[in-house]
Amino acid sequence: MSLIHETMGKAQQAFLTFKNATGAEKGAFLEAIAQQIELIKEQLIPIAAAESNLPEGRITGETGRTLGQIRLFAGLVKEGSWVEATIDQADPNRAPLPKPDIRRMLRPLGPVVVFGASNFPLAFSTAGGDTLSALAAGCTVIYKAHPAHPKTSQMVADAIRSAAKETGMPEGVFQHIEGGVEEGQELAAHPVAKAIAFTGSFRGGKALFDTANARKNPIPVFAEMGSVNPIVAFESKLSANLEELAATYVGSLTLGVGQFCTNPGLIFVPHALADRFASEVSKKMEKIAKAPMLHEGIAQTYYAALRRLSDNGNLSWVTVFDSEDVLLAAPAFARVSARDWMKNSDFQEEVFGPFGIMITYEHLDELTEAIEALHGQLTCTVWAEESEIAAHKALVSQLEEKCGRLLFKGAPTGVEVGYAMQHGGPYPSTTDSRSTSVGVYAIKRFARPVAYQDMPAALLPEELKDNNPLRIWRTVDGNWQQ
Amino acid sequence: MSLIHETMGKAQQAFLTFKNATGAEKGAFLEAIAQQIELIKEQLIPIAAAESNLPEGRITGETGRTLGQIRLFAGLVKEGSWVEATIDQADPNRAPLPKPDIRRMLRPLGPVVVFGASNFPLAFSTAGGDTLSALAAGCTVIYKAHPAHPKTSQMVADAIRSAAKETGMPEGVFQHIEGGVEEGQELAAHPVAKAIAFTGSFRGGKALFDTANARKNPIPVFAEMGSVNPIVAFESKLSANLEELAATYVGSLTLGVGQFCTNPGLIFVPHALADRFASEVSKKMEKIAKAPMLHEGIAQTYYAALRRLSDNGNLSWVTVFDSEDVLLAAPAFARVSARDWMKNSDFQEEVFGPFGIMITYEHLDELTEAIEALHGQLTCTVWAEESEIAAHKALVSQLEEKCGRLLFKGAPTGVEVGYAMQHGGPYPSTTDSRSTSVGVYAIKRFARPVAYQDMPAALLPEELKDNNPLRIWRTVDGNWQQ
């Protein structure tokens, strides 16, 4: 029996117990995970920083974000209303047929295979949002460690296992698997897996999507893949705030060495302001030192992408990257006319790193046409005066069709973890635009509704009992109550 | 330009307007559809009955169900809380970075291609649950008429178009396309389509699922396919109520000539009671006359399936179907031991029509093993005393993993349209166990969340304005409010 087969068997066994854990029990487990991570924080941070080449300050911030996220899910399941409890009461006197009693709630899907990301060794990795939202839903997790930060992953996995033991969770509720692409595919294809969560490249996400759909029993894949997160700058707004907006742009583009999924790789700028904007960006970029990327492979991919784009005669460089490095990335900025940009969909491929393209548009019809050609994105950002938005509502409405989050201020990097966040957009930014991988709604990916018809009262789950012992928000005959 | 390409272009154009219709506007449109159908009801019912071979009484009932369903969705969108409005308020003083204002709600996916079912010429067809939930969500609909009831479909399509005109909806909000498998595939593959809804055979649903996933931009497919809806009878319960439960079983199995997706095609019976149960079923079935199926093709498929099963030496017939007919179906009942049943997954394939298999189990371990082998189902039903359920909770928990609706009384036919209904289950009963095609939650299939970050107050949709002008239920910083 292969290691993977054995692991999946354990995950299924554990699921049969864990699926019936109460919100309070799951909440205690999640809080214990946060506590266990707190305990190892001092050792963990330097190791994660060393493995990811990210500064300790950034990793410290990411640790706080990870802990906050875990506690948000703990609070969510302890409160309990997330299950969408819905009760339709019986009516024995209804004619021509009596009406049965039907009670519906969300139930966990089963064992979930999670693939972590290299760019967030904590927040989108072992105890990151995917693992935690799956556990919060009541699913067991098989986590495929990212090879870029093996020690970090192992330490966090140990913390989760300690928390599971401490709170009496079944063995196999969380399992940590090391391996490469082959093991990942084997996990995704295993009949016991009921969902897949992934953050990474388009190639990686698409391969898992294809595997999952080719299974005898296809399963959902929540892959967050590439996005170039366009910013659309309107003339009045940009003209009045050019220096400040250029600073915002460069800050966002180079934050974390450009290694964020919400990195604004495209910016649409009116032709009349293009030279001024380019010059401001260039001035600010010159002051930004080369910085180490997550690993050498990523730096090589970055420079290879820039070289490939250089071969395109329509693109001109605003800042020239003079020398390549095996690990350090230099920020880079190029420009192309909207007309030429539309001719080549290569310009829409994500370049992972601190690189942006300015697309210059002559007039709003051209901008509209260019936006129509945009692929699906995690975010789109509009920089416009209110009067400009009011005058071009159709354009804003069009942008909405292209993304999951639409910003009207600032930059798309810095994804808030909260109730209202949507971190997921139309294909190819994710494989399921109806889902989010950040924020409380992430839990819904791993649950499905089950309706219980005429279930004996004594057997009803707490969430569906008449007297609502958990005091959750639910609907009874269509009316919200607590 | 092909007809289909033109149709899809119109659907997309109409979507750009219709997506911004208010709940009140959509509600008025849906109510007008119901009114238009009321107007033609007297002519429609005999035509639908003639085209489907279903009795006028049944079609009259289905008309009522269809109208009720339309009005349920009208009420839902007029009330408005279904959009999951979620507000995280800004905090400009948060350190180290100010917190932005983020507001999230569900928005329509885009044009939806709907395929109707032959067995519900009204409730799951032209103005059926899929069309109506998609329109309610704000999606435009391209409806592929079912070739089994072309006149019915055309009449209902005209009613929808009249309602659209009357309430000022854009041309192309609903379009009716006639055609076969090829046209269906072309619609599903068209880049403008953003989702597919289907009710029918496994083969048909799976083909659409494969087409949708092979697209350059894959889209969700909500296909409700085959299900054999097992009933699991426990000894004490069955022994004490054998005659009554046999009557319930035969009634459900032969209702509508067995042409329901929730038809209970399998029943697990303890060995000790098998002869008595078989004899009761047989007695009751003998009194049921042959009845016409939806069309000759379906009758031929029915008899072909019975003949194929007859070739299996492990199956024995309880009632023998003596003669075949080109259109009329005779009810049939067979038996097989759990051990033999598990050897052959052909026994799990849906036989569309009034045919059931009794699976006899020797003891509960064998029953557990057999349930483990079950494919995904729309429904599972438990016939047990409360004490039997309490003693075998693991078995009930196991059944829950196999279905979307779990019944403890009666039979699975008769799917209530309400708030709590779940009509969708694990693959292969549907392609997405997280969705339902009946009940209010059906609307969620056709929407995706969009988060608006720092949107100017004047531009916010009504659902997300500070003063909550629609008085919908929503969460603000995680707290439910109205």
Side-chain angles (χ1 to χ4, degrees):
Chain A
M1 189 158 66
S2 81
L3 171 68
I4 282 174
H5 190 62
E6 200 178 322
T7 303
M8 298 306 285
K10 264 194 206 166
Q12 176 62 20
Q13 265 310 307
F15 175 67
L16 297 179
T17 310
F18 188 58
K19 66 177 256 201
N20 292 320
T22 64
E25 287 163 347
K26 288 186 292 184
F29 172 34
L30 269 53
E31 280 167 356
I33 294 175
Q35 281 155 13
Q36 288 291 336
I37 293 174
E38 294 270 17
L39 287 178
I40 57 164
K41 204 164 70 170
E42 299 308 314
Q43 303 94 286
L44 183 65
I45 289 171
I47 290 172
E51 285 191 323
S52 65
N53 296 318
L54 293 166
E56 286 203 11
R58 149 72 197 272
I59 296 292
T60 303
E62 193 181 319
T63 307
R65 178 198 178 96
T66 307
L67 294 170
Q69 190 163 263
I70 297 173
R71 287 172 176 140
L72 186 69
F73 283 115
L76 187 78
V77 294
K78 281 163 72 182
E79 193 277 330
S81 300
W82 75 273
V83 299
E84 299 175 358
T86 307
I87 298 175
D88 287 352
Q89 298 184 103
D91 179 1
N93 302 317
R94 190 183 65 175
L97 288 170
K99 188 177 168 217
D101 175 283
I102 306 182
R103 297 170 191 239
R104 171 200 191 270
M105 67 181 279
L106 295 179
R107 297 289 291 141
L109 280 185
V112 175
V113 178
V114 176
F115 294 83
S118 62
N119 61 340
F120 278 94
L122 298 168
F124 281 83
S125 290
T126 326
D130 287 337
T131 296
L132 267 291
S133 54
L135 291 175
C139 295
T140 55
V141 169
I142 306 94
Y143 180 77
K144 219 298 256 118
H146 198 290
H149 50 260
K151 285 182 210 156
T152 307
S153 197
Q154 191 61 64
M155 282 177 79
V156 175
D158 288 344
I160 301 175
R161 278 190 294 248
S162 297
K165 214 165 187 178
E166 187 190 319
T167 52
M169 293 298 138
E171 214 202 308
V173 68
F174 172 86
Q175 293 176 92
H176 188 251
I177 291 273
E178 283 166 8
V181 171
E182 209 173 304
E183 285 77 12
Q185 283 290 332
E186 201 179 332
L187 288 167
H190 196 281
V192 151
K194 289 295 177 290
I196 294 167
F198 169 90
T199 307
S201 68
F202 175 77
R203 223 175 90 183
K206 180 62 161 59
L208 290 171
F209 181 74
D210 290 341
T211 297
N213 288 323
R215 290 164 55 114
K216 212 184 144 195
N217 62 334
I219 55 175
V221 175
F222 305 103
E224 190 233 280
M225 308 184 292
S227 186
V228 288
N229 305 291
I231 295 175
V232 179
F234 279 68
E235 190 148 2
S236 299
K237 180 74 175 186
L238 187 61
S239 164
N241 308 272
L242 195 132
E243 205 171 329
E244 181 203 332
L245 290 173
T248 301
Y249 183 69
V250 174
S252 178
L253 190 72
T254 60
L255 192 73
V257 202
Q259 300 168 117
F260 288 116
C261 38
T262 53
N263 194 51
L266 292 184
I267 182 160
F268 291 88
V269 171
H271 183 75
L273 296 170
D275 290 347
R276 270 179 66 204
F277 187 75
S279 142
E280 277 300 328
V281 166
S282 172
K283 261 199 281 180
K284 285 167 175 43
M285 268 194 177
E286 275 164 20
K287 292 185 194 139
I288 293 174
K290 282 185 181 178
M293 297 195 82
L294 293 160
H295 54 79
E296 293 183 359
I298 283 194
Q300 278 151 35
T301 306
Y302 175 64
Y303 285 111
L306 298 191
R307 264 184 270 121
R308 213 168 35 244
L309 285 166
S310 290
D311 294 342
N312 189 304
N314 291 321
L315 190 95
S316 59
W317 291 93
V318 175
T319 65
V320 182
F321 60 104
D322 44 2
S323 64
E324 295 191 14
D325 188 282
V326 286
L327 183 65
L328 307 179
F333 194 54
R335 62 186 286 177
V336 63
S337 72
R339 200 115 310 278
D340 288 334
W341 178 80
M342 281 186 267
K343 284 182 199 148
N344 190 341
S345 74
D346 286 358
F347 289 140
Q348 291 209 46
E349 274 173 33
E350 183 183 23
V351 175
F352 195 71
F355 167 70
I357 302 181
M358 175 173 71
I359 302 157
T360 60
Y361 64 90
E362 299 278 350
H363 43 70
L364 287 175
D365 284 353
E366 198 177 74
L367 178 61
T368 301
E369 208 182 317
I371 290 173
E372 196 45 50
L374 267 180
H375 300 163
Q377 307 289 338
L378 290 170
T379 72
C380 289
T381 301
V382 180
W383 284 346
E385 302 288 358
E386 272 198 52
S387 56
E388 287 178 303
I389 301 178
H392 304 291
K393 277 192 179 159
L395 209 143
V396 175
S397 181
Q398 191 193 8
L399 273 177
E400 179 189 64
E401 294 308 312
K402 301 291 182 178
C403 67
R405 179 163 56 112
L406 188 56
L407 295 88
F408 294 84
K409 213 165 93 181
T413 45
V415 181
E416 291 289 327
V417 181
Y419 301 94
M421 178 48 67
Q422 171 60 16
H423 190 66
Y427 193 91
S429 69
T430 72
T431 46
D432 185 347
S433 70
R434 300 182 310 125
S435 72
T436 180
S437 62
V438 177
V440 296
Y441 284 100
I443 195 174
K444 306 248 180 168
R445 297 176 295 172
F446 304 118
R448 66 183 178 93
V450 176
Y452 305 96
Q453 185 164 327
D454 293 320
M455 191 181 225
L459 297 167
L460 283 170
E462 297 288 291
E463 288 85 348
L464 299 176
K465 284 192 196 304
D466 275 339
N467 61 347
N468 194 8
L470 302 176
R471 301 281 295 153
I472 58 173
W473 285 96
R474 55 186 199 176
T475 68
V476 178
D477 295 332
N479 301 309
W480 283 95
Q481 322 189 338
Q482 186 187 27
Chain B
M1 190 158 66
S2 81
L3 171 68
I4 281 173
H5 190 62
E6 200 178 321
T7 303
M8 297 308 284
K10 263 194 208 167
Q12 175 63 19
Q13 265 311 306
F15 175 67
L16 297 179
T17 311
F18 187 57
K19 67 178 254 199
N20 293 318
T22 64
E25 287 164 349
K26 288 186 293 185
F29 172 34
L30 268 52
E31 280 166 356
I33 294 174
Q35 281 154 13
Q36 287 292 335
I37 293 173
E38 294 269 16
L39 288 178
I40 58 166
K41 205 164 67 170
E42 299 306 315
Q43 302 94 286
L44 184 64
I45 289 170
I47 291 172
E51 285 190 323
S52 64
N53 296 319
L54 293 166
E56 288 204 11
R58 147 73 196 271
I59 295 290
T60 303
E62 193 181 321
T63 307
R65 178 197 176 95
T66 306
L67 295 170
Q69 189 164 263
I70 297 174
R71 287 171 177 143
L72 186 70
F73 283 116
L76 187 79
V77 295
K78 281 164 72 184
E79 191 278 332
S81 300
W82 75 273
V83 299
E84 299 176 357
T86 307
I87 298 176
D88 287 351
Q89 298 185 101
D91 179 1
N93 302 317
R94 189 184 64 175
L97 289 170
K99 188 177 168 216
D101 176 283
I102 306 182
R103 296 170 191 241
R104 171 199 191 271
M105 68 181 279
L106 294 180
R107 297 289 291 140
L109 280 184
V112 174
V113 179
V114 175
F115 294 83
S118 61
N119 60 339
F120 278 94
L122 299 167
F124 281 82
S125 289
T126 325
D130 287 337
T131 296
L132 267 291
S133 55
L135 292 174
C139 296
T140 55
V141 168
I142 307 93
Y143 181 77
K144 220 296 258 120
H146 199 289
H149 49 260
K151 284 184 211 154
T152 307
S153 196
Q154 191 61 65
M155 282 177 79
V156 175
D158 288 344
I160 301 176
R161 277 189 296 248
S162 299
K165 215 167 187 175
E166 185 189 321
T167 52
M169 294 298 137
E171 213 202 308
V173 68
F174 172 87
Q175 294 176 91
H176 188 250
I177 292 273
E178 282 167 6
V181 172
E182 210 174 303
E183 286 76 12
Q185 284 290 332
E186 201 179 333
L187 288 167
H190 196 281
V192 152
K194 289 294 177 290
I196 294 167
F198 169 90
T199 306
S201 68
F202 175 77
R203 224 175 90 182
K206 181 60 161 61
L208 290 171
F209 181 75
D210 290 342
T211 297
N213 287 322
R215 291 164 55 113
K216 212 183 144 195
N217 62 335
I219 55 174
V221 176
F222 305 103
E224 192 234 280
M225 308 184 291
S227 189
V228 287
N229 305 292
I231 295 176
V232 178
F234 280 66
E235 190 149 1
S236 299
K237 180 75 176 184
L238 188 60
S239 164
N241 307 273
L242 195 132
E243 204 172 329
E244 181 203 332
L245 290 173
T248 301
Y249 182 68
V250 174
S252 178
L253 190 74
T254 59
L255 191 73
V257 203
Q259 301 167 117
F260 288 116
C261 38
T262 52
N263 194 50
L266 292 185
I267 182 161
F268 291 89
V269 171
H271 184 75
L273 297 170
D275 290 347
R276 270 180 64 203
F277 187 74
S279 142
E280 277 301 327
V281 166
S282 173
K283 261 199 280 180
K284 287 168 173 45
M285 268 193 176
E286 275 164 20
K287 293 186 194 139
I288 294 173
K290 283 185 180 179
M293 297 195 82
L294 293 160
H295 54 80
E296 292 184 359
I298 283 193
Q300 277 151 36
T301 306
Y302 174 65
Y303 285 110
L306 297 191
R307 265 184 269 120
R308 213 166 37 244
L309 285 167
S310 291
D311 294 342
N312 188 305
N314 291 320
L315 191 96
S316 59
W317 292 92
V318 176
T319 64
V320 182
F321 60 103
D322 44 2
S323 64
E324 296 192 14
D325 188 282
V326 286
L327 183 64
L328 307 180
F333 194 54
R335 62 186 285 178
V336 61
S337 72
R339 199 114 313 274
D340 288 334
W341 178 81
M342 281 187 265
K343 285 183 201 148
N344 191 341
S345 74
D346 286 357
F347 289 140
Q348 292 208 45
E349 273 173 33
E350 183 182 22
V351 174
F352 196 70
F355 166 69
I357 302 181
M358 174 173 71
I359 303 157
T360 59
Y361 62 91
E362 299 279 349
H363 43 71
L364 287 175
D365 284 352
E366 197 176 74
L367 178 61
T368 301
E369 208 185 318
I371 290 172
E372 196 44 50
L374 267 181
H375 300 162
Q377 307 289 339
L378 291 170
T379 71
C380 290
T381 301
V382 180
W383 283 346
E385 302 289 357
E386 271 197 55
S387 56
E388 288 178 304
I389 301 177
H392 304 290
K393 276 190 178 159
L395 209 143
V396 174
S397 180
Q398 189 194 9
L399 273 177
E400 179 189 66
E401 294 308 312
K402 301 292 181 180
C403 69
R405 181 164 53 113
L406 187 57
L407 295 87
F408 293 84
K409 213 165 93 181
T413 45
V415 181
E416 290 290 326
V417 181
Y419 301 94
M421 179 47 67
Q422 171 60 16
H423 190 66
Y427 193 90
S429 68
T430 73
T431 47
D432 186 347
S433 70
R434 300 181 311 126
S435 71
T436 180
S437 61
V438 177
V440 297
Y441 284 101
I443 194 175
K444 305 248 180 168
R445 296 176 296 172
F446 304 117
R448 69 184 176 93
V450 176
Y452 305 97
Q453 185 164 326
D454 293 320
M455 190 180 225
L459 297 166
L460 283 170
E462 298 289 290
E463 288 86 347
L464 299 176
K465 283 194 199 301
D466 275 339
N467 61 348
N468 194 6
L470 302 176
R471 302 280 297 153
I472 58 174
W473 285 97
R474 56 188 198 175
T475 68
V476 178
D477 296 333
N479 302 308
W480 283 96
Q481 324 189 335
Q482 186 186 26

